[in-house]
Amino acid sequence: RRTCSARSRAAAGLRGRRRHAGRGPDEEPLARSAHFARPARARLGAAIAQGGTIGMMRTATAEEVGLIIDWAADEGWNPGLDDARAFHAADPVGFFVAEEDGEIVAAISVVNHSDSFAFLGLYLCRPDWRGRGVAFALWKHALAHADERTIGLDGVAEQQANYARSGFALTGATSRFEGAARPAPALRGATLEDLPALAALDETANGITRPRF
C-alpha cells in the first residue's frame, strides 16, 4: 500500500529556512490534511505509464537538500527544525532532483525507512517549470526507489483526485496547530539511553518501525 497525509512536510532536508510549529489544546488548527493509501500491486502501473520528459534526474547532494528546504519555506511549509538530518541519515540516497540546462528545476524525496515502509515528501517544482511534465517525471523516478514498500505521503487534500490517479486512496486526516509552548517541568533533552523507548513510542504512534530514522 501507499499511505499519504496532506502536505509534504515529512522528508525535510539538511539546511534552509525552517519554521517551527508547536501545539496547544486551546488553539484552532492552522490546517487540516488528508491521509491516503495505495495497494502495492498497483504501484508501478499507472504512475509510470504517464508521460513527462526531463533533461536529467539524479540523487540530490547534501548541499542541494538545503536548497530544497528553502523552496519548501518559500511555499509556506514548515518541516521540523531537526527533521532534515534524521531523514537524510535514514536514507541518504532518498532525495532526488531534476535538472535542465544545469539548473535544478524540481525536487522530491522518497525516504526508505525499512524493508516495508517509505515516506514521500518535498515534491516541489520551480514556478517557471510547472505544467511541463518535469515534476511528474521526477515523481515517477523517485517512486521506483521505494520498490514494493508502503509509501507514506503528506499531500494537499484538494489534490486527492491527482493522488488517486497514481493509485492512492484516502485513509485519514491530520490537523496542525501553532502557538507558544507551555512550560513542562519534566521536560529534558533525550539521550542515547532513551533511543529504545523513543523507537517504541514512534512505532506505537505511527504504526511502523523506523530504526535508521
Side-chain angles (χ1 to χ4, degrees):
R1 307 186 307 168
R2 292 187 172 172
T3 63
C4 152
S5 69
R7 201 163 207 136
S8 48
R9 68 178 185 276
L14 292 179
R15 293 194 304 272
R17 301 188 299 276
R18 288 163 289 177
R19 297 176 174 85
H20 178 65
R23 64 177 60 186
D26 301 327
E27 291 145 348
E28 290 297 319
L30 290 176
R32 298 187 186 278
S33 11
H35 305 265
F36 304 82
R38 165 173 143 176
R41 62 179 179 275
R43 177 159 306 145
L44 299 179
I48 289 182
Q50 301 182 43
T53 59
I54 200 167
M56 176 187 293
M57 294 179 290
R58 60 173 176 79
T59 302
T61 66
E63 291 75 18
E64 289 166 342
V65 173
L67 171 65
I68 298 169
I69 289 300
D70 283 347
W71 286 6
D74 291 340
E75 293 291 332
W77 300 355
N78 60 342
L81 294 177
D82 296 309
D83 283 358
R85 293 178 181 84
F87 278 100
H88 196 266
D91 187 2
V93 295
F95 296 79
F96 304 89
V97 294
E99 278 189 10
E100 287 286 355
D101 299 324
E103 294 186 356
I104 296 175
V105 299
I108 194 171
S109 62
V110 176
V111 173
N112 291 339
H113 284 291
S114 69
D115 292 338
S116 61
F117 183 79
F119 203 95
L120 185 156
L122 292 176
Y123 183 42
L124 295 154
C125 186
R126 265 178 30 185
D128 55 326
W129 279 91
R130 293 173 186 172
R132 306 191 192 188
V134 172
F136 188 61
L138 185 64
W139 164 283
K140 294 182 293 181
H141 174 80
L143 287 182
H145 176 63
D147 196 25
E148 290 303 307
R149 294 171 176 83
T150 294
I151 300 176
L153 165 67
D154 281 357
V156 180
E158 291 76 10
Q159 294 294 323
Q160 181 175 345
N162 286 333
Y163 302 139
R165 282 193 282 272
S166 288
F168 291 90
L170 182 68
T171 63
T174 298
S175 294
R176 296 188 186 184
F177 298 83
E178 182 176 280
R182 297 178 180 176
L187 188 64
R188 63 173 175 81
T191 66
L192 291 176
E193 288 72 23
D194 294 318
L195 286 179
L198 291 173
L201 179 62
D202 183 55
E203 182 176 5
T204 300
N206 295 289
I208 58 169
T209 302
R210 303 188 289 178
R212 292 190 297 270
F213 178 78

